[in-house]
Structure formats: structure tokens, C-alpha cells
Amino acid sequence: RAQGDTYQLVVDVSQFEPPDIVVTTSNGHVAIQAEKVAEDSTVCDTFTHKCWLPEDTDPLSVSCALTEAGMLVITARRC
């Protein structure tokens, strides 16, 4: 969603711990990957989401923060 001079994406990743979550940007898109590994080294939960940044955003301004409630907030400045 666009808010003033920023674009913001909010994703619920509350079922994952912070070290389990990886956010990357490449070629105008943001990718979120999370993987929960059990004690026996098996993968017990995964999450993947990919979205394109709007054309009027600065791809170098992308940042993210994880709230205490487990919401991942990704923000990018609009040009």
C-alpha cells in the first residue's frame, strides 16, 4: 500500500523466529522466505512470498522491520 512518500508491505510471519526469516531484493522485487527446522533437522514449516515493487519506488531504499507481534513491515521510498 502507498502511504505518502513511502510504499509499505506488511506480512504476518509470527509463526517464525527472526533468524528463520530472509528478505531479499533483486530486479525490482522483494522476496520473503522463512523456514522452521525441527530438532531432528526436518523442515516443519515454510513460507515464501514474492512481490514486485511499484515502478515509482527507489529499490535502494528498501528496509524491513519485525514487530513484536510477528508482523514483517517492508518499506520503500517513492520517487
Side-chain angles (χ1 to χ4, degrees):
R1 69 179 177 221
Q3 252 183 321
D5 64 348
T6 62
Y7 173 77
Q8 193 174 69
L9 172 68
V10 180
V11 181
D12 182 359
V13 290
S14 59
Q15 65 272 27
F16 298 96
E17 296 296 319
D20 300 335
I21 304 164
V22 177
V23 179
T24 57
T25 60
S26 176
N27 297 323
H29 73 269
V30 174
I32 305 161
Q33 295 177 313
E35 185 175 87
K36 189 181 288 187
V37 179
E39 289 183 18
D40 64 357
S41 298
T42 60
V43 175
C44 58
D45 196 4
T46 62
F47 174 84
T48 303
H49 183 74
K50 187 177 185 179
C51 70
W52 290 100
L53 292 170
E55 289 183 18
D56 67 342
T57 56
D58 176 5
L60 298 177
S61 72
V62 175
S63 65
C64 62
L66 187 62
T67 69
E68 287 187 25
M71 302 303 284
L72 182 65
V73 181
I74 299 171
T75 306
R77 255 190 346 264
R78 297 174 76 191
C79 304

